[in-house]
Amino acid sequence: MDILIIDDDAVDRMSAIRTLRQSELSLDKIDQADTATDGIRCAAENGYDIILLDYQIPPSNGIEILREIRGGNDYSTAIVMLSHSNDENLALSCIEAGAQDFVMKSEITASRLKRAILISQERHSLEQQVRESHERLRYIAERDSLTGLRNRYFFDEALRDAITKNSRSGEQLVLMLLDLDNFKKINDVLGHQAGDSLLQEIARRLENPIRKSDKLCRLGGDEFAILVYDLPQLEHVRLLADRILKSLEKPMIIQGQTVAVTASIGVATYPLCATDATGLMKCADVAMYRAKELGRNRVQYYSHDFHQKMVSRMQLEFDLKQAIQGDQLILFFQPQLDTHSEQLVGVEALIRWQHHDLGIIQPDEFIPIAEESDLIIDIGRWVIQAACRQFSQWVDAAQGTHIHFSIAVNLSARQLKDHALSEFLQNCLKQYNIPADLVELELTESHLENSLSAIEMLNSLSDTGVKLSLDDFGTGYSSLSHLSQFPFSILKIDKSFVQSSDDEKQRTLLRAICAFAHSLGYETVAEGIETEAQKSFCQSLNVNRLQGYLFSQPIPAQAFENIWLQGTI
């Protein structure tokens, strides 16, 4: 047994040594220290089975030394406190501070000291077992079971502690939020087991670029957080973010499949962006979603200006939910004219939002919000029903006269996930007694998914008898092979080709697009016509229909009726 005696009184040390040798304990080594400094050093440098510590060692007291030793050797040694005092409160204070026993020097005998040492060792052993059990439970509580990284519980505690510490030291703290791009698609295609394997690989890769002092946590799902401490310059944050994105560049092999993964990262800094944990988290979250909006696979740094835009956007999303129920959505209508006769042959229904405070809001501002929040399903159905209702009123007003124009409604690619859309459309056609061949559904080429489910939904819609139109043709990914899979009968040529037709290269391209469309039997619509020259050129190409501000802007239903339908209904 190795023992250290810390006592500034040489007589008391000699007495303790004599008593130890009389105690029949198996003694290997007895070291002595007559100052607090030496005692703490010896305890740190050597592994003792027992430390006998005097309570009075000027200028410190035994409790201060006890705490210093406990802080240095992580409770690896049992400690018996010795004192001339018989104060029970003092004895209790020593036990509470971490001593295993308290013995008065006047009561020390060989048997008493032996018993105190053996009991202290046993008590210390039990304390160690409890402490180790607690540490194991704490490890489990703070670890993510899938990836082995720290979890959300640990992150919340670490973030609060770091802000408290940095508020005193004045140092900066950086929070990086990382969210995988399109992770849901991986789960949907390969399954959740593959998704779990991917998350494990991501966790392993993310550990490489960060420092040991930084904290990497998995917050849940495919979201990770990194707390970056003590960076000398903020420029290093950019370098770290670049290393993180680079660590994900190499494709991963998951269950025999090659998977490419990117991430969007939002960065916020304490105290520049926020002065509390909740605020800093919000700032990083705002920045991360901005990174996704800008195209994903990038880093976005928080700014107050952008935060205000995000707050406005969230308010707009909230208002949009109310608008659907509050009769704030309206339809405007824009005519489509026959190329040669310039008579009305079609009308496109275009949604507008009559906001209670902001006035008319254009679809470019709120449709992306609706698509992200899945409000597009309800809005899309509203547009179909409202357009059918308005068209039926025009049909009824015609009093049996043949309607010579069709109505077109825009459809979001997200609506193709609405499995009941085809049935809803059929019910609207039946409810308003509208011939299906007078209704057109327009889908934007650049947003169209070349997936089996999308093709099945388009075929289902086409089977109702309505016509399908491919909008903004020429700007997306369509090719002959793609077009052959979709049941489109109408191609709307994107206005960018029409409006740049004064350029010879663009004129040549527009000619080729029209020749391609006509050779395959597609009906063509040129949109965005604003000048007589553009109209004349499109007429020379035998485009079937013309649409644009040269003829009319989108206008309310009554105005459309007054201008375009007078005399015909």
Side-chain angles (χ1 to χ4, degrees):
M1 180 181 294
D2 294 341
I3 298 177
L4 171 64
I5 302 173
I6 306 175
D7 196 328
D8 64 328
D9 190 317
V11 174
D12 285 348
R13 291 200 306 275
M14 292 302 103
S15 176
I17 292 172
R18 282 196 307 270
T19 305
L20 284 169
R21 287 172 176 165
Q22 295 169 5
S23 66
E24 299 181 356
L25 290 169
S26 176
L27 302 175
D28 296 317
K29 180 172 66 174
I30 301 176
D31 290 339
Q32 304 177 52
D34 59 1
T35 66
T37 302
D38 285 343
I40 294 169
R41 178 183 55 78
C42 289
E45 294 177 354
N46 302 282
Y48 295 100
D49 298 297
I50 286 289
I51 296 177
L52 303 180
L53 174 60
D54 183 21
Y55 178 75
Q56 290 292 346
I57 303 184
S60 304
N61 64 48
I63 290 181
E64 293 175 358
I65 300 172
L66 173 64
R67 287 173 176 160
E68 186 76 19
I69 292 173
R70 286 290 184 233
N73 70 359
D74 195 26
Y75 291 86
S76 61
T77 305
I79 297 177
V80 176
M81 190 72 77
L82 305 178
S83 175
H84 288 293
S85 173
N86 64 352
D87 187 341
E88 293 183 358
N89 291 329
L90 175 61
L92 182 60
S93 297
C94 292
I95 299 299
E96 290 175 346
Q100 276 67 48
D101 204 348
F102 181 94
V103 179
M104 288 180 57
K105 290 185 176 182
S106 60
E107 296 179 352
I108 292 179
T109 62
S111 59
R112 176 72 177 89
L113 189 56
K114 178 181 178 181
R115 184 169 63 253
I117 289 175
L118 294 178
I119 290 175
S120 294
Q121 283 188 307
E122 182 62 25
R123 184 177 294 161
H124 179 261
S125 177
L126 293 174
E127 290 173 359
Q128 285 290 81
Q129 292 176 31
V130 171
R131 191 170 293 110
E132 289 170 3
S133 177
H134 173 75
E135 289 299 320
R136 284 195 298 270
L137 291 173
R138 181 177 177 180
Y139 180 88
I140 294 171
E142 293 180 348
R143 291 283 172 172
D144 173 55
S145 59
L146 177 64
T147 63
L149 300 179
R150 267 62 174 268
N151 60 14
R152 182 61 184 258
Y153 170 77
F154 174 88
F155 169 78
D156 290 340
E157 294 293 320
L159 180 58
R160 282 193 292 268
D161 291 346
I163 286 182
T164 300
K165 174 186 174 184
N166 286 33
S167 66
R168 294 193 298 265
S169 66
E171 295 176 346
Q172 297 195 61
L173 174 70
V174 177
L175 171 59
M176 308 178 76
L177 280 188
L178 182 149
D179 190 86
L180 302 184
D181 298 326
N182 300 314
F183 178 72
K184 184 177 182 299
K185 288 185 177 180
I186 296 172
N187 264 344
D188 292 343
V189 174
L190 299 180
H192 289 280
Q193 186 174 357
D196 288 348
S197 298
L198 179 64
L199 289 172
Q200 291 170 336
E201 174 64 15
I202 292 291
R204 186 187 65 78
R205 291 195 183 190
L206 291 178
E207 288 180 307
N208 292 328
I210 66 173
R211 303 171 304 169
K212 289 184 178 180
S213 59
D214 301 329
K215 300 293 190 298
L216 170 63
C217 310
R218 181 188 175 213
L219 302 187
D222 60 335
E223 191 173 27
F224 298 82
I226 303 172
L227 285 174
V228 184
Y229 301 85
D230 306 328
L231 276 180
Q233 297 179 12
L234 286 180
E235 172 64 15
H236 291 108
V237 177
R238 184 185 65 80
L239 298 176
L240 174 58
D242 289 344
R243 291 200 303 271
I244 290 172
L245 291 179
K246 191 171 183 61
S247 71
L248 302 178
E249 283 183 353
K250 186 178 178 181
M252 306 173 193
I253 306 300
I254 304 297
Q255 294 185 355
Q257 299 286 330
T258 301
V259 179
V261 176
T262 61
S264 299
I265 301 176
V267 180
T269 307
Y270 170 90
L272 185 63
C273 300
T275 56
D276 60 70
T278 301
L280 193 64
M281 187 69 178
K282 183 186 295 185
C283 291
D285 198 52
V286 164
M288 186 264 288
Y289 276 103
R290 177 59 171 166
K292 287 190 176 293
E293 287 186 351
L294 291 175
R296 308 176 191 271
N297 192 28
R298 65 187 64 220
V299 182
Q300 181 68 26
Y301 300 88
Y302 175 83
S303 72
H304 287 284
D305 289 342
F306 176 65
H307 178 66
Q308 291 305 315
K309 292 179 182 178
M310 288 296 293
V311 170
S312 299
R313 183 197 178 285
M314 288 187 288
Q315 182 62 49
L316 208 59
E317 180 179 336
F318 175 80
D319 291 346
L320 186 56
K321 293 177 182 178
Q322 311 305 313
I324 299 172
Q325 304 297 328
D327 200 27
Q328 298 177 27
L329 301 178
I330 56 176
L331 288 182
F332 277 33
F333 300 88
Q334 188 175 32
Q336 297 175 345
L337 309 183
D338 178 76
T339 298
H340 300 295
S341 68
E342 297 188 25
Q343 296 297 308
L344 181 71
V345 291
V347 56
E348 182 177 1
L350 299 162
I351 190 172
R352 299 291 186 268
W353 178 7
Q354 182 68 56
H355 193 277
H356 49 78
D357 292 326
L358 304 176
I360 294 291
I361 299 179
Q362 299 296 320
D364 288 349
E365 295 184 50
F366 67 88
I367 290 300
I369 297 175
E371 289 183 332
E372 289 179 12
S373 60
D374 283 336
L375 291 172
I376 194 64
I377 303 298
D378 292 334
I379 291 176
R381 288 190 173 202
W382 180 90
V383 171
I384 291 173
Q385 186 165 31
C388 288
R389 181 171 58 247
Q390 180 59 65
F391 195 65
S392 71
Q393 292 174 6
W394 288 335
V395 171
D396 292 342
Q399 298 179 346
T401 304
H402 177 66
I403 290 294
H404 57 276
F405 64 94
S406 59
I407 187 166
V409 174
N410 287 283
L411 202 65
S412 165
R414 293 290 294 273
Q415 288 177 261
L416 299 182
K417 300 182 185 298
D418 180 4
H419 300 295
L421 179 61
S422 180
E423 181 181 356
F424 177 81
L425 175 62
Q426 287 178 308
N427 290 337
C428 284
L429 295 175
K430 183 178 180 180
Q431 177 183 355
Y432 296 107
N433 194 28
I434 299 174
D437 61 348
L438 293 183
V439 176
E440 298 171 4
L441 299 180
E442 294 185 6
L443 285 99
T444 301
E445 177 187 7
S446 58
H447 294 158
L448 188 61
E449 292 184 15
N450 185 29
S451 64
L452 182 60
S453 60
I455 294 172
E456 288 178 349
M457 177 56 73
L458 289 172
N459 285 327
S460 176
L461 292 171
S462 180
D463 290 343
T464 66
V466 302
K467 297 179 180 179
L468 298 183
S469 173
L470 187 60
D471 199 6
D472 296 342
F473 180 69
T475 61
Y477 66 86
S478 287
S479 64
L480 286 173
S481 60
H482 284 133
L483 280 176
S484 66
Q485 299 176 38
F486 298 121
F488 292 109
S489 58
I490 303 168
L491 300 183
K492 292 191 73 174
I493 301 168
D494 185 68
K495 64 183 180 181
S496 63
F497 296 106
V498 173
Q499 294 175 354
S500 59
S501 58
D502 54 342
D503 178 85
E504 185 56 38
K505 289 184 178 180
Q506 292 297 317
R507 291 168 72 91
T508 301
L509 184 57
L510 187 53
R511 286 192 191 97
I513 290 174
C514 291
F516 161 76
H518 292 149
S519 68
L520 294 177
Y522 290 106
E523 186 178 356
T524 53
V525 181
E527 57 182 345
I529 296 176
E530 297 181 352
T531 67
E532 288 289 341
Q534 292 168 2
K535 180 186 78 171
S536 297
F537 184 61
C538 289
Q539 288 174 327
S540 71
L541 298 177
N542 291 318
V543 173
N544 299 100
R545 299 187 223 167
L546 307 175
Q547 180 179 350
Y549 281 13
L550 178 64
F551 313 109
S552 174
Q553 295 184 12
I555 53 179
Q558 188 59 54
F560 183 87
E561 183 175 322
N562 294 340
I563 297 172
W564 293 96
L565 302 183
Q566 276 186 346
T568 63
I569 62 173

